[in-house]
Amino acid sequence: MKRLFRLPSTRSSVQRDVDTELAFHLQGRVDELVAQGMSPEEAEREARRRFGDQAAVAHELERIDVESYRRRALGERFAAFARDLRYALRGLTRRPLYALTIVVTLALGIGANTTVFSVFKTVLLRPLPVDELDRLLVVQDDFPKMNARFGVSALEALDLFERRDLFQSATTTRTTFGTLLIGDEPIREYGIATLGDFAGVFGVRPMLGRFYDPDASQVGRSPVVVLSHGLWQRLGGDSTIVGKILRIGDQSYEVTGVMPADFSYPRGAQFWRPLVLDSLILDQTQSRGTVIELFVGRMRPGLTKELIAAELRALAERWHQQYPSNYQRGGHTMVVVPLVERLAGQLKPIVIALLTTVGLVLLLACANVASLQLMHTSGRARELAVRAALGAGRGAIARQVILETTLLATAGGIAGTLLALGGLTWLTKLNIAYFPALEDVRLDGMVLAFTAGATVLAALLFGSAPALRTARVSVNDALRDSVRGSSIGAARHRFLRGSVIFQTAIAVVLLVGAGLTIRSLNRLLDVDLGFQADHVATFTFFLPQVRYREGPQRIAFLDGVDQRLRAIPGVQSVGFALGAPFSGSAGSTLYDLPAIPKLPGESDRHANQAFVYGDYFKTMGIPIVRGRAFTAADYATGGHTVVVDETLVKQSFGDRDPIGHAITHGPSGTIIGVAKSVKLGDLTEPAHPLVYHNYGRSPVTPAMTATVRSSLAIDAVMKAVRTTFKELDPALAAPLVFALTERVADSYGHREFATRILTIFAALALGLALLGVYAVTSYVVTSRTREIGIRIALGAARVEIARMVLRDGAILATAGLVIGTLAFTLTARFLRALLFGVGVLDPVALGATVLLLASVTLLASYLPARRAVRVDPMLTMRTE
Amino acid sequence: MPENVDLLRGTLDLFILKTLTWGPMHGLAISRWIDNASKSQLQIEEGALYPALHRMEQRGWLTADWGLTDSRRQAKFYRLTARGRKQYVSQLEAWNRYTKVAALLLSAQGATS
């Protein structure tokens, strides 16, 4: 038997084979029968009879063979893949450092980007589960001269509701609080009073029941309330709660619905109820300019924010003519702000800084991976060339290179995902206090796919493409090159050097950025608060309007708190002030000094308010620089007295003595003292005049912040406050007590947070750049081994050689430094919101960066330099 | 169809494997060998042989090569693979066990209570 060929190899040949095989059988049988003496016709018939249904058999055979063919083809493909995979894995395990470096670099790039983009998406792109969120606009009253923006009044909102041509639906929200019995404990809950079509604007679909109608705000309607999912659960999670009566504060409400768990607007709201349009709110002269609501409208499709802004400016003009007495001051107009922007708040500049940062880290990672891949490929050019020479097709080599990259990318992707998960957990744990929005950040699959895709694509483009070109172009060259061991493509060297400069430059940008935020933070910590925050505890409480309607009732309560707390050993003094630093604003308004004409160049006489009672200045450690603080006598009898701060004196009095002068600022009174200026809520804000009113003579607000100076721990103060409140009014919810230092720290927490993250990323970038410099320098040394050997053989001093290598590293580092510094000054905008008290070209931050980078690059080229010095000339010659 | 065909179907694979232990053969030769060895007592429909062969080839018990016969004609020769040989051994053992048990059972007498 002589073998012809193996089959079936293709599907088309199957049928032919089957026919041949069966024809052979039948013909053989016929020949046999003829030989036995049958006539050819008889033999043919007999053979067919013995065979059976030939067509059916042929069909069956074809079916079996086609299936066999398919299975074999699949098997072969799989085997080929397994072979390639084995090659690729072997290639990688032979260079574990290379593989590890690429995986780590990719992981950092992917992980950092996924983390930050997840934050970005939650915070800036979709902070609320609301359809077409970008069409929701906030309208605010703007007083450019006072540099102040407020919400609109309810009356203004009602006018805005009429503008159906601008807003499809619109609503306002106002913060309200209500004390509920949860279990047996009275708990003060944060709620929202709404006006207009809240459900329509936010497209809310309650989980239970329904949201109340807009006209529930009309006077005379029975009170209704919608609960948050959280509050509903704390109340016992009764699924039949809709229609039941719930007591909040002094009022009974019918529950109409429960919101789904993922709806939280405004953030943290526990209940929503209609704002009742009573006669006070509807009084044009009294209320048009005073009551503050946050207006949110859903922009009609096809309109733009700019168009609406223009319409609103025109509307404001009309109001000024219609109600002249309400809009005399401050050059009023209206502005629109996208709700998304408002929700992002303080996070926005940080997220933008972070986005820029991780974008740079990603670029750095890509450059790193690309040069590593390139070095790796040229290092193995010989291996690939040999394979090619041995007949491995261009496709096979390409497949191997791509498979290697894919393996690395997959490992990097997995590690990056784990990193991102860790990063997000860390973020959410760390900073909820500063940024409630971060609570909702989740790892986003789409984001992950995007960054992983981008990174891998970059790796393929920058890494594999040159690799493939090497494999293709230089089969001959590579063999020659690697034998000669020198003069590897000048283009490749240029690319590698460029890549190092690029990486160093990015590291410089990030280092300078981080340095500046650290400097800013230090500057911030040096800011004089104007008060002594240490050992002060504060808590804010609200006295219900019904039981504390009259001033004396409120004063009596404060006196009770004062006496009880002061009686506790360790407590030194107790004071009260609505509008105390870092405890919420008491508002601001214009002031008037009838006897003092405006100084030349003096701007609007506008000051913040504080309402003070008890031993406030002593407790806070605010020095009285002139005159005196309020005394018990001031609180108890006589006319209204006020204390002003130094900033007001400087602005309006100049060198004159303000003591004894009359001032109108809301209530009119006499100035009895001047206090040192304090920071109220933001360390970066410039000083603004402040007027301390005598709450004893003017107990106008139901809210109050208490301050307690003591040697006690916060928990101890908290316990004392709880006892005090239970004794004084068991129906009142005990407030939360905070250390004042903590509140101050909270005010710059977002900066601290950003600084920390930027520092981490800068360190990361420095590490990557260090790796890049090291890898490239040692690669260059390796590829110049022969040259170095010759130099040494010719008598070059080894010091000379070391200097040569180090100089090479220094040149790259210097180029990176210069380009990086330039790039930073051009892009410093991304950081501006986080800077305080330092310029972009801060010598300290720049100097530190230069020092750090210089020492790191020297270190990175030191090791290769040492290797170069130890080159044995004989050995390098012999490798020829 | 003759009565013995059903029995044959289950054992056709075994017969083919047995036949091929003698060396590579094409379908017609296998058919002839079985006919001779059984003294023409098995009425095999020759067409049934081929699906069995191709299926065994698919399972990897046989390999097939195209070759030339002594009369210089192109034919497909089947050969046992190592797996096919193993298969033959285990099927033969199973068959022997089965026939022994069947003989025992069919020759048993009387009823056990």
Side-chain angles (χ1 to χ4, degrees):
Chain A
M1 180 198 87
K2 187 180 151 208
R3 175 180 292 190
L4 290 177
F5 42 83
R6 285 181 62 97
L7 277 176
S9 56
T10 65
R11 279 190 64 171
S12 58
S13 64
V14 163
Q15 194 183 351
R16 205 178 57 223
D17 285 1
V18 166
D19 290 347
T20 312
E21 186 177 19
L22 297 187
F24 168 79
H25 183 103
L26 287 168
Q27 192 56 51
R29 205 42 111 191
V30 168
D31 291 352
E32 188 183 289
L33 292 170
V34 168
Q36 286 169 13
M38 278 193 196
S39 73
E41 294 77 24
E42 243 179 322
E44 175 97 24
R45 237 191 337 271
E46 174 59 13
R48 282 191 190 288
R49 190 193 59 77
R50 285 211 214 164
F51 193 85
D53 187 346
Q54 190 192 346
V57 169
H59 187 76
E60 172 75 359
L61 294 186
E62 276 167 35
R63 200 185 55 75
I64 295 172
D65 287 0
V66 164
E67 201 195 319
S68 298
Y69 166 74
R70 276 200 199 127
R71 284 191 196 177
R72 191 171 317 162
L74 197 73
E76 265 162 25
R77 232 172 294 158
F78 184 77
F81 177 73
R83 196 173 53 238
D84 284 348
L85 196 67
R86 233 178 5 253
Y87 270 130
L89 277 175
R90 203 183 302 152
L92 291 178
T93 44
R94 220 181 289 145
R95 298 169 175 84
L97 201 66
Y98 156 77
L100 191 73
T101 312
I102 290 207
V103 168
V104 168
T105 308
L106 284 178
L108 291 175
I110 295 174
N113 273 273
T114 306
T115 310
V116 171
F117 270 95
S118 295
V119 172
F120 169 71
K121 197 172 166 211
T122 313
V123 172
L124 296 184
L125 294 184
R126 195 170 164 77
L128 275 178
V130 170
D131 292 335
E132 296 179 281
L133 189 58
D134 53 333
R135 273 172 52 206
L136 299 196
L137 299 176
V138 172
V139 176
Q140 292 178 305
D141 278 326
D142 186 28
F143 299 89
K145 281 193 192 163
M146 282 157 43
N147 194 19
R149 286 181 180 180
F150 305 111
V152 300
S153 68
L155 284 167
E156 290 170 335
L158 290 175
D159 286 356
L160 288 170
F161 289 166
E162 298 296 315
R163 296 302 300 267
R164 287 297 173 113
D165 57 324
L166 304 180
F167 298 108
Q168 243 173 0
S169 51
T171 185
T172 69
T173 56
R174 179 202 295 191
T175 300
T176 174
F177 286 92
T179 301
L180 284 87
L181 274 182
I182 294 180
D184 295 331
E185 183 105 9
I187 302 284
R188 208 165 135 264
E189 295 287 354
Y190 166 48
I192 297 298
T194 73
L195 188 60
D197 189 9
F198 184 88
V201 170
F202 291 99
V204 292
R205 278 173 288 276
M207 190 188 74
L208 291 176
R210 54 176 194 84
F211 206 91
Y212 49 78
D213 297 329
D215 63 0
S217 285
Q218 300 303 328
V219 171
R221 300 288 297 257
S222 63
V224 286
V225 69
V226 171
L227 306 180
S228 77
H229 186 264
L231 179 58
W232 171 67
Q233 288 208 314
R234 276 181 288 135
L235 286 168
D238 173 10
S239 59
T240 62
I241 198 166
V242 172
K244 290 190 177 163
I245 300 298
L246 187 67
R247 210 164 162 80
I248 302 177
D250 300 318
Q251 182 78 264
S252 290
Y253 295 86
E254 183 193 329
V255 177
T256 69
V258 175
M259 292 296 226
D262 66 347
F263 187 85
S264 177
Y265 181 84
R267 187 168 295 279
Q270 298 300 330
F271 63 86
W272 294 263
R273 65 168 178 82
L275 180 74
V276 179
L277 289 171
D278 57 26
S279 54
L280 177 67
I281 285 181
L282 292 177
D283 184 331
Q284 290 286 358
T285 48
Q286 285 282 318
S287 300
R288 190 160 188 95
T290 56
V291 182
I292 290 168
E293 314 284 341
L294 181 69
F295 178 97
V296 183
R298 179 171 283 271
M299 178 165 64
R300 205 159 260 297
L303 299 185
T304 63
K305 193 188 121 193
E306 288 68 32
L307 191 115
I308 291 198
E311 285 285 338
L312 291 181
R313 278 195 298 275
L315 181 63
E317 294 293 325
R318 284 203 291 284
W319 286 349
H320 301 165
Q321 283 163 14
Q322 207 172 343
Y323 313 100
S325 63
N326 284 308
Y327 298 102
Q328 286 167 341
R329 26 164 106 147
H332 164 263
T333 183
M334 279 189 287
V335 289
V336 289
V337 182
L339 180 66
V340 175
E341 218 163 277
R342 214 190 128 84
L343 290 173
Q346 283 179 315
L347 266 183
K348 190 181 173 183
I350 292 179
V351 171
I352 285 175
L354 283 181
L355 277 179
T356 314
T357 304
V358 292
L360 289 173
V361 170
L362 188 66
L363 277 178
L364 180 49
C366 285
N368 215 323
V369 169
S371 36
L372 280 170
Q373 285 254 64
L374 190 68
M375 287 185 279
H376 175 60
T377 324
S378 50
R380 63 194 282 211
R382 198 192 152 103
E383 174 203 332
L384 293 180
V386 167
R387 283 199 64 199
L390 289 179
R394 194 182 291 171
I397 292 181
R399 261 204 314 281
Q400 189 190 338
V401 171
I402 289 171
L403 199 62
E404 270 190 33
T405 312
T406 313
L407 275 178
L408 292 174
T410 311
I414 293 171
T417 310
L418 293 177
L419 206 67
L421 278 172
L424 285 178
T425 315
W426 179 72
L427 270 182
T428 39
K429 272 210 191 111
L430 195 67
N431 285 288
I432 288 170
Y434 308 138
F435 309 116
L438 279 179
E439 210 176 321
D440 300 335
V441 175
R442 298 283 176 272
L443 183 71
D444 190 288
M446 233 173 66
V447 168
L448 181 66
F450 173 77
T451 29
T455 320
V456 171
L457 199 71
L460 272 175
L461 275 181
F462 296 123
S464 295
L468 291 177
R469 210 183 47 210
T470 313
R472 192 174 64 223
V473 169
S474 51
V475 171
N476 275 324
D477 293 350
L479 281 171
R480 228 178 22 239
D481 263 4
S482 54
V483 170
R484 275 204 259 118
S486 69
S487 71
I488 297 174
R492 201 176 303 145
H493 269 175
R494 262 203 306 281
F495 176 85
L496 290 177
R497 293 170 71 87
S499 167
V500 168
I501 294 175
F502 181 68
Q503 293 176 45
T504 320
I506 289 181
V508 167
V509 170
L510 295 180
L511 283 172
V512 175
L516 287 179
T517 53
I518 292 174
R519 293 265 295 150
S520 300
L521 201 60
N522 286 337
R523 286 282 164 92
L524 213 57
L525 296 178
D526 289 342
V527 165
D528 184 6
L529 292 170
F531 58 89
Q532 304 296 325
D534 299 344
H535 304 295
V536 175
T538 81
F539 55 93
T540 302
F541 52 94
F542 291 75
L543 299 172
Q545 300 271 13
V546 175
R547 277 176 295 137
Y548 296 89
R549 185 183 297 277
E550 305 302 327
Q553 293 169 320
R554 295 173 181 167
I555 296 293
F557 186 85
L558 295 193
D559 284 339
V561 172
D562 188 33
Q563 279 159 21
R564 279 174 169 74
L565 290 181
R566 263 193 299 137
I568 295 167
V571 172
Q572 284 138 31
S573 63
V574 176
F576 301 88
L578 183 72
F582 301 92
S583 303
S585 160
S588 62
T589 183
L590 296 168
Y591 64 87
D592 188 29
L593 299 165
I596 308 291
K598 270 198 175 184
L599 292 177
E602 186 181 351
S603 61
D604 271 336
R605 289 181 162 177
H606 184 259
N608 292 314
Q609 292 178 309
F611 293 90
V612 172
Y613 191 70
D615 221 349
Y616 175 72
F617 293 101
K618 189 181 154 205
T619 306
M620 287 291 286
I622 302 172
I624 299 294
V625 294
R626 223 181 226 177
R628 58 180 178 83
F630 301 116
T631 60
D634 290 321
Y635 294 133
T637 56
H640 186 68
T641 45
V642 303
V643 171
V644 297
D645 78 342
E646 278 179 306
T647 311
L648 185 142
V649 172
K650 209 165 115 198
Q651 179 181 317
S652 297
F653 287 91
D655 298 330
R656 299 169 69 169
D657 186 358
I659 306 296
H661 276 284
I663 184 170
T664 306
H665 182 247
S668 300
T670 312
I671 299 172
I672 58 164
V674 178
K676 187 174 165 153
S677 291
V678 296
K679 294 287 175 193
L680 279 182
D682 181 353
L683 297 180
T684 62
E685 75 185 0
H688 192 75
L690 172 62
V691 177
Y692 296 96
H693 291 272
N694 176 341
Y695 188 77
R697 303 314 301 152
S698 187
V700 285
T701 74
M704 192 43 98
T705 298
T707 56
V708 182
R709 178 171 290 277
S710 75
S711 53
L712 302 175
I714 287 299
D715 286 348
V717 179
M718 177 88 198
K719 224 165 119 190
V721 170
R722 204 181 276 273
T723 319
T724 303
F725 271 63
K726 207 153 255 173
E727 283 171 16
L728 287 172
D729 186 343
L732 218 54
L736 285 175
V737 179
F738 298 94
L740 188 54
T741 47
E742 211 176 287
R743 305 235 95 173
V744 174
D746 280 355
S747 79
Y748 55 81
H750 62 291
R751 287 166 179 278
E752 219 166 28
F753 168 63
T755 306
R756 204 182 305 183
I757 292 196
L758 288 178
T759 310
I760 289 174
F761 281 135
L764 214 145
L766 185 66
L768 287 178
L770 167 81
L771 206 74
V773 173
Y774 171 73
V776 169
T777 317
S778 53
Y779 173 75
V780 169
V781 166
T782 308
S783 64
R784 285 170 71 180
T785 305
R786 186 168 166 273
E787 178 202 331
I788 293 170
I790 293 175
R791 279 172 190 252
I792 293 177
L794 291 179
R798 288 176 189 255
V799 181
E800 201 78 11
I801 302 294
R803 199 177 293 150
M804 185 182 83
V805 175
L806 288 179
R807 194 179 49 220
D808 215 44
I811 289 172
L812 295 181
T814 312
L817 262 172
V818 171
I819 295 174
T821 312
L822 272 175
F824 181 80
T825 49
L826 292 178
T827 57
R829 210 160 10 123
F830 82 93
L831 261 187
R832 192 144 291 158
L834 291 172
L835 298 189
F836 173 73
V838 288
V840 166
L841 286 174
D842 179 59
V844 177
L846 272 178
T849 303
V850 170
L851 265 178
L852 194 61
L853 204 79
S855 42
V856 157
T857 39
L858 270 183
L859 184 76
S861 35
Y862 168 72
L863 293 174
R866 223 176 49 170
R867 199 142 39 84
V869 166
R870 291 184 180 164
V871 162
D872 180 346
M874 290 316 289
L875 220 61
T876 52
M877 300 300 189
R878 230 177 287 140
T879 52
E880 287 267 303
Chain B
M1 262 188 190
E3 285 171 62
N4 49 10
V5 163
D6 276 351
L7 181 64
L8 190 63
R9 266 200 189 132
T11 52
L12 183 59
D13 284 3
L14 183 54
F15 294 159
I16 293 173
L17 289 171
K18 162 81 185 169
T19 310
L20 287 174
T21 55
W22 297 104
M25 282 182 214
H26 50 70
L28 185 59
I30 295 171
S31 164
R32 280 188 193 131
W33 195 91
I34 291 176
D35 195 45
N36 284 338
S38 69
K39 307 212 163 61
S40 300
Q41 292 184 62
L42 283 174
Q43 298 289 312
I44 302 181
E45 198 169 72
E46 289 168 12
L49 200 61
Y50 285 93
L53 282 168
H54 283 229
R55 234 174 254 125
M56 285 196 278
E57 185 191 359
Q58 187 180 70
R59 288 187 199 129
W61 300 351
L62 311 180
T63 56
D65 290 300
W66 286 94
L68 292 181
T69 62
D70 299 338
S71 53
R72 314 283 308 157
R73 282 170 58 189
Q74 196 175 317
K76 199 171 172 188
F77 286 80
Y78 293 91
R79 184 158 32 103
L80 272 187
T81 61
R83 259 164 87 192
R85 211 166 287 280
K86 246 186 253 165
Q87 191 64 32
Y88 168 64
V89 173
S90 73
Q91 281 204 13
L92 188 64
E93 273 171 13
W95 173 258
N96 286 337
R97 256 199 319 276
Y98 173 71
T99 48
K100 238 182 257 167
V101 172
L104 198 68
L105 187 135
L106 295 174
S107 61
Q109 298 194 346
T112 54
S113 59

